[in-house]
Structures are given as structure tokens and as C-alpha cells.
Amino acid sequence: FMPNNTVEHIGVFKLDADLKKQVRIIVVKLWVDDALYDDTFYMFNYKEDVGCYTRLPKAELSIRAEGSYAVVENISDVLAVGVFVENLEHDTEFIADSNFFCLAPHEKREIKVSHTEGISVRAFNFSR
């Protein structure tokens, strides 16, 4: 919604019937003034193909602390799905400014976190 309660329609993304059956994940990123403002992803066809997300190609992720940021990087050639930064040492007080997102191949994201010592990362298609 815009300030005057109108909706601005940016565009339409149409899938033909064959592609619609194959699509598992659609990632949407909202950029404002050349900066990532927000993003989300949508999961499809999991009811028709139970367990399809357990068969995603395996991604490789790295994580490191830089100041008060966790830097997560997808070092693989496949999409990392459901990336989640956590800190089990501080689980009841840990806060991350962004979590549960997708990372494109070789994409890196800096996330402001409340605690950097002991951070770790997981995703649907990544495990250590």
C-alpha cells in the first residue's frame, strides 16, 4: 500500500502449467535505493511431492563474525534455502536482524546480531 492507500502493481510473474509443476521455491527481493530492504521466499508443490525439500541439492555455507555482524556466505553453486543464524550458547537472548532467508549461489549477507561468539548457521539443504 502507498501512503494514499492505493496499491502499486509492479508486475506479474506467470508460470505455464509444466513449469508450475516443477517450481519448488520462488525468492522475492525488495530493493529500495539500491539496497536490499526485505526478502522472502515461497515454497511450492510440497503437498504433491512430500519430502521434496529433503532432496534439494546440498548447499555449502560459511559463517564468521565481523564486529557485531554475522557474515553468512553461500560458497556453493546451488540455492541455500531457509538459512538461519543461531547462537545456542545465548539461545534465550540471541537476536538476529534477519533470519530464515535464501542465499543465491556465492551470495553473502551481513546480519547484525546481539552475540557473535558461538554463532552457527543452518538451512534446509545444509548441515554440518
Side-chain angles (χ1 to χ4, degrees), residues 3 15 31:
L15 300 173
W31 294 84

Side-chain angles (χ1 to χ4, degrees), residues 42-114:
Y42 299 92
M43 302 169 76
F44 291 92
N45 297 327
Y46 52 88
K47 291 180 183 177
E48 294 80 7
D49 185 5
V50 176
C52 62
Y53 295 103
T54 63
R55 296 187 304 274
L56 289 170
K58 298 301 177 198
E60 286 294 322
L61 299 172
S62 69
I63 187 167
R64 68 181 183 280
E66 285 186 10
S68 59
Y69 289 84
V71 180
V72 182
E73 187 170 1
N74 181 353
I75 56 176
S76 65
D77 292 327
V78 299
L79 181 70
V81 180
V83 177
F84 191 85
V85 176
E86 60 189 350
N87 189 317
L88 298 178
E89 293 176 27
H90 300 280
D91 65 340
T92 59
E93 49 194 20
F94 179 71
I95 298 170
D97 278 355
S98 180
N99 247 339
F100 205 60
F101 51 86
C102 289
L103 277 180
H106 308 287
E107 182 180 4
K108 176 173 54 173
R109 183 172 298 191
E110 297 176 353
I111 303 161
K112 185 152 180 64
V113 294
S114 59

